[in-house]
């Protein structure tokens, strides 16, 4: 269980590093990205481990990766393009 949690934290760290390396212009501060990646991976591991029970290491790591990527995607900002806002017709 400890190794599974450590593995999911490392997986979240790697995913956060990859996101911060590939999309630095679309993400907020780097410490926030790292902490979000790790926290998302640990939460995903916890939820998957709770749902499937002990002895399911690989699916738990897969769940950790999915939740980590999903939480990192919530940090993305739009690109430099300006969005036009149209007013609703009266």
């Amino acid at each position: 269980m400890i190794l599974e949690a450590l593995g999911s934290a490392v997986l979240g760290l790697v995913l956060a590093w990859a996101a911060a390396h590939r999309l630095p212009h679309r993400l907020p501060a780097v410490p926030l990205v790292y902490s979000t990646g790790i926290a998302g991976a640990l939460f995903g591991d916890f939820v998957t481990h709770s749902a499937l029970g002990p002895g399911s290491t690989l699916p738990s790591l897969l769940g950790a990766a999915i939740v980590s990527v999903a939480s990192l995607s919530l940090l993305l900002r739009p690109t430099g393009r300006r969005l036009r806002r149209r007013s609703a017709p009266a």
Side-chain angles (χ1 to χ4, degrees), residues 9-52:
V10 169
L11 181 64
L13 183 65
V14 168
L15 290 171
W17 175 83
H21 184 69
R22 296 269 309 181
L23 303 166
H25 58 285
R26 294 189 59 195
L27 289 169
V30 175
L32 179 64
V33 174
Y34 285 148
S35 61
T36 302
I38 293 171
L42 287 173
F43 183 69
D45 180 44
F46 171 72
V47 169
T48 310
H49 184 81
S50 297
L52 299 178

Side-chain angles (χ1 to χ4, degrees), residues 50-88:
S50 297
L52 299 178
S56 57
T57 304
L58 196 59
S60 291
L61 290 177
L62 181 64
I66 290 171
V67 174
S68 179
V69 168
S71 60
L72 285 170
S73 73
L74 294 175
L75 295 177
L76 287 175
R77 294 180 291 199
T79 57
R81 294 179 286 161
R82 300 234 175 205
L83 298 176
R84 292 185 183 179
R85 295 182 187 245
R86 297 181 191 185
S87 61

